[in-house]
Protein backbone atom coordinates (compact mmCIF):
# COMPACT_ATOMS: atom_id res chain seq x y z
CA UNK A 1 0.00 0.00 0.00
CA UNK A 2 1.48 3.20 -1.16
CA UNK A 3 0.09 6.39 0.42
CA UNK A 4 1.20 9.88 -0.41
CA UNK A 5 1.23 12.34 2.38
CA UNK A 6 1.37 16.04 1.83
CA UNK A 7 3.79 17.59 4.25
CA UNK A 8 2.73 21.27 3.64
CA UNK A 9 0.85 22.89 6.50
CA UNK A 10 -2.86 23.78 6.12
CA UNK A 11 -2.25 27.54 5.88
CA UNK A 12 -0.22 27.04 2.69
CA UNK A 13 -3.06 25.27 0.91
CA UNK A 14 -4.88 27.59 -1.61
CA UNK A 15 -8.13 25.65 -1.38
CA UNK A 16 -8.35 26.31 2.37
CA UNK A 17 -7.89 30.06 1.88
CA UNK A 18 -10.55 30.11 -0.83
CA UNK A 19 -12.99 28.43 1.54
CA UNK A 20 -12.15 30.96 4.27
CA UNK A 21 -12.39 34.01 1.96
CA UNK A 22 -15.93 33.33 0.75
CA UNK A 23 -17.63 33.77 4.17
CA UNK A 24 -15.18 36.51 5.16
CA UNK A 25 -16.16 38.52 2.07
CA UNK A 26 -19.84 38.21 2.96
CA UNK A 27 -19.18 39.43 6.51
CA UNK A 28 -17.23 42.49 5.26
CA UNK A 29 -19.93 43.27 2.66
CA UNK A 30 -22.67 43.10 5.32
CA UNK A 31 -20.81 45.56 7.55
CA UNK A 32 -20.44 47.94 4.59
CA UNK A 33 -24.16 47.61 3.85
CA UNK A 34 -25.02 48.28 7.50
CA UNK A 35 -22.81 51.39 7.50
CA UNK A 36 -24.47 52.73 4.34
CA UNK A 37 -27.95 52.06 5.73
CA UNK A 38 -27.21 53.96 8.94
CA UNK A 39 -25.24 56.79 7.32
CA UNK A 40 -27.64 57.76 4.51
CA UNK A 41 -31.07 59.22 5.07
CA UNK A 42 -33.10 58.72 1.93
CA UNK A 43 -36.07 60.62 3.35
CA UNK A 44 -38.54 58.92 1.03
CA UNK A 45 -40.99 57.64 3.65
CA UNK A 46 -43.25 60.10 5.45
CA UNK A 47 -43.14 59.59 9.20
CA UNK A 48 -46.81 60.34 9.80
CA UNK A 49 -48.42 59.13 6.60
CA UNK A 50 -51.89 58.71 8.13
CA UNK A 51 -52.03 62.33 9.32
CA UNK A 52 -50.80 63.50 5.90
CA UNK A 53 -53.56 61.47 4.27
CA UNK A 54 -56.21 63.22 6.36
CA UNK A 55 -54.81 66.62 5.36
CA UNK A 56 -55.20 66.01 1.61
CA UNK A 57 -58.69 67.52 1.44
CA UNK A 58 -57.55 70.67 3.23
CA UNK A 59 -54.65 71.03 0.77
CA UNK A 60 -57.00 70.55 -2.19
CA UNK A 61 -59.21 73.34 -0.80
CA UNK A 62 -56.21 75.67 -0.95
CA UNK A 63 -55.66 74.76 -4.62
CA UNK A 64 -59.34 75.44 -5.38
CA UNK A 65 -59.13 78.82 -3.63
CA UNK A 66 -56.21 79.79 -5.89
CA UNK A 67 -58.39 78.88 -8.89
CA UNK A 68 -61.29 80.99 -7.57
CA UNK A 69 -58.98 83.98 -7.19
CA UNK A 70 -57.46 83.39 -10.63
CA UNK A 71 -53.97 83.61 -9.19
CA UNK A 72 -50.81 83.68 -11.27
CA UNK A 73 -47.25 84.25 -10.14
CA UNK A 74 -44.12 85.12 -12.08
CA UNK A 75 -40.99 84.01 -10.23
CA UNK A 76 -37.50 85.16 -11.19
CA UNK A 77 -34.67 83.17 -9.64
CA UNK A 78 -31.17 84.67 -9.58
CA UNK A 79 -28.76 81.92 -8.47
CA UNK A 80 -25.71 84.20 -8.66
CA UNK A 81 -27.10 86.81 -6.25
CA UNK A 82 -29.15 84.25 -4.29
CA UNK A 83 -32.34 86.20 -4.77
CA UNK A 84 -35.97 85.33 -5.55
CA UNK A 85 -38.35 87.92 -6.94
CA UNK A 86 -42.08 87.29 -7.40
CA UNK A 87 -44.98 89.17 -8.95
CA UNK A 88 -48.47 88.03 -8.01
CA UNK A 89 -51.55 88.65 -10.19
CA UNK A 90 -55.20 87.88 -9.50
CA UNK A 91 -58.14 88.10 -11.91
CA UNK A 92 -60.92 87.80 -9.33
CA UNK A 93 -62.21 90.85 -7.49
CA UNK A 94 -62.58 88.78 -4.31
CA UNK A 95 -58.79 88.89 -3.96
CA UNK A 96 -58.54 92.49 -2.76
CA UNK A 97 -55.49 92.77 -0.53
CA UNK A 98 -52.42 90.67 -1.22
CA UNK A 99 -50.70 89.22 1.86
CA UNK A 100 -47.65 90.91 3.35
CA UNK A 101 -45.70 87.65 3.43
CA UNK A 102 -45.67 84.54 1.27
CA UNK A 103 -43.98 81.21 1.82
CA UNK A 104 -42.16 79.56 -1.07
CA UNK A 105 -41.28 75.93 -0.44
CA UNK A 106 -38.57 74.38 -2.59
CA UNK A 107 -39.08 70.62 -2.43
CA UNK A 108 -36.45 68.36 -3.94
CA UNK A 109 -37.94 65.69 -6.19
CA UNK A 110 -36.24 62.74 -4.49
CA UNK A 111 -34.53 63.88 -1.27
CA UNK A 112 -36.73 65.40 1.42
CA UNK A 113 -33.65 66.28 3.46
CA UNK A 114 -32.74 68.96 0.87
CA UNK A 115 -36.10 70.80 1.08
CA UNK A 116 -35.90 74.55 1.70
CA UNK A 117 -38.36 77.30 2.67
CA UNK A 118 -38.04 80.90 1.50
CA UNK A 119 -40.03 83.68 3.17
CA UNK A 120 -41.02 86.34 0.65
CA UNK A 121 -41.73 89.87 1.88
CA UNK A 122 -43.94 92.31 0.01
CA UNK A 123 -42.12 95.42 -1.22
CA UNK A 124 -43.77 98.86 -1.59
CA UNK A 125 -44.06 98.40 -5.38
CA UNK A 126 -46.13 95.20 -4.92
CA UNK A 127 -43.52 92.59 -5.78
CA UNK A 128 -42.16 90.06 -3.31
CA UNK A 129 -38.49 89.37 -2.55
CA UNK A 130 -36.63 86.71 -0.63
CA UNK A 131 -33.20 85.17 -0.12
CA UNK A 132 -32.56 82.02 -2.15
CA UNK A 133 -30.66 79.22 -0.40
CA UNK A 134 -28.07 77.19 -2.30
CA UNK A 135 -29.86 74.49 -4.29
CA UNK A 136 -28.50 71.15 -5.42
CA UNK A 137 -28.76 70.26 -9.06
CA UNK A 138 -31.88 68.46 -10.14
CA UNK A 139 -35.63 68.82 -10.26
CA UNK A 140 -37.42 70.88 -7.59
CA UNK A 141 -41.13 71.29 -6.90
CA UNK A 142 -42.31 74.76 -5.91
CA UNK A 143 -45.20 75.55 -3.56
CA UNK A 144 -46.14 79.20 -3.16
CA UNK A 145 -48.59 79.54 -0.29
CA UNK A 146 -50.50 82.01 1.83
CA UNK A 147 -53.03 81.24 4.55
CA UNK A 148 -55.90 80.15 2.31
CA UNK A 149 -54.42 79.41 -1.14
CA UNK A 150 -51.50 77.64 -2.80
CA UNK A 151 -49.81 77.56 -6.24
CA UNK A 152 -47.59 74.75 -7.52
CA UNK A 153 -44.82 74.59 -10.10
CA UNK A 154 -41.46 73.11 -10.99
CA UNK A 155 -37.87 74.32 -11.23
CA UNK A 156 -34.86 72.67 -12.87
CA UNK A 157 -31.43 73.53 -11.41
CA UNK A 158 -29.40 74.51 -13.34
CA UNK A 159 -31.91 75.78 -15.82
CA UNK A 160 -34.30 78.57 -16.56
CA UNK A 161 -34.63 81.43 -14.13
CA UNK A 162 -38.20 82.56 -14.95
CA UNK A 163 -41.05 80.37 -13.75
CA UNK A 164 -44.79 80.86 -14.14
CA UNK A 165 -47.16 79.45 -11.54
CA UNK A 166 -50.81 79.27 -12.58
CA UNK A 167 -53.73 77.98 -10.54
CA UNK A 168 -55.10 74.76 -12.07
Amino acid sequence: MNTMTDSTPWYRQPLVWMLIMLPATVVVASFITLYLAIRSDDGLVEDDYYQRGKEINRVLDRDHAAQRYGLQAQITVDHAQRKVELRLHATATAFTTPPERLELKLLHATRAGLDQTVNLVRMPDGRYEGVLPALAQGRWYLQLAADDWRLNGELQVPGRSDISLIAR
Side-chain angles (χ1 to χ4, degrees):
M1 187 159 171
N2 193 0
T3 60
M4 287 182 48
T5 59
D6 192 4
S7 62
T8 57
W10 69 269
Y11 54 85
R12 292 191 186 242
Q13 297 290 333
L15 186 60
V16 172
W17 284 109
M18 187 180 79
L19 290 175
I20 291 173
M21 289 307 289
L22 289 174
T25 304
V26 172
V27 170
V28 170
S30 34
F31 278 112
I32 291 171
T33 304
L34 178 66
Y35 169 77
L36 291 175
I38 292 172
R39 176 99 169 118
S40 66
D41 175 26
D42 57 3
L44 296 177
V45 178
E46 186 68 35
D47 290 338
D48 193 3
Y49 62 91
Y50 179 72
Q51 185 65 28
R52 296 274 295 161
K54 291 187 340 184
E55 294 174 358
I56 287 176
N57 288 337
R58 191 179 78 202
V59 170
L60 291 176
D61 289 343
R62 294 174 74 192
D63 292 340
H64 296 309
Q67 286 177 340
R68 278 195 314 273
Y69 294 142
L71 290 176
Q72 297 179 4
Q74 280 298 121
I75 299 176
T76 304
V77 177
D78 188 350
H79 293 284
Q81 296 182 1
R82 292 189 164 206
K83 180 177 157 183
V84 177
E85 186 176 299
L86 179 133
R87 294 199 178 275
L88 187 65
H89 307 285
T91 57
T93 56
F95 191 78
T96 54
T97 56
E100 290 299 314
R101 294 185 165 276
L102 293 176
E103 182 179 82
L104 178 64
K105 289 185 180 179
L106 302 158
L107 309 170
H108 194 270
T110 57
R111 308 264 329 221
L114 297 177
D115 294 353
Q116 304 282 337
T117 301
V118 177
N119 292 315
L120 302 172
V121 179
R122 189 166 183 247
M123 297 291 133
D125 61 356
R127 65 188 167 82
Y128 292 85
E129 284 188 358
V131 177
L132 181 70
L135 299 177
Q137 289 186 0
R139 185 177 184 182
W140 292 81
Y141 296 112
L142 305 177
Q143 287 185 358
L144 178 66
D147 291 335
D148 61 339
W149 56 266
R150 176 180 84 162
L151 293 174
N152 297 310
E154 292 183 19
L155 169 68
Q156 184 69 34
V157 174
R160 62 176 191 210
S161 59
D162 293 327
I163 302 116
S164 294
L165 305 179
I166 300 171
R168 296 181 189 168

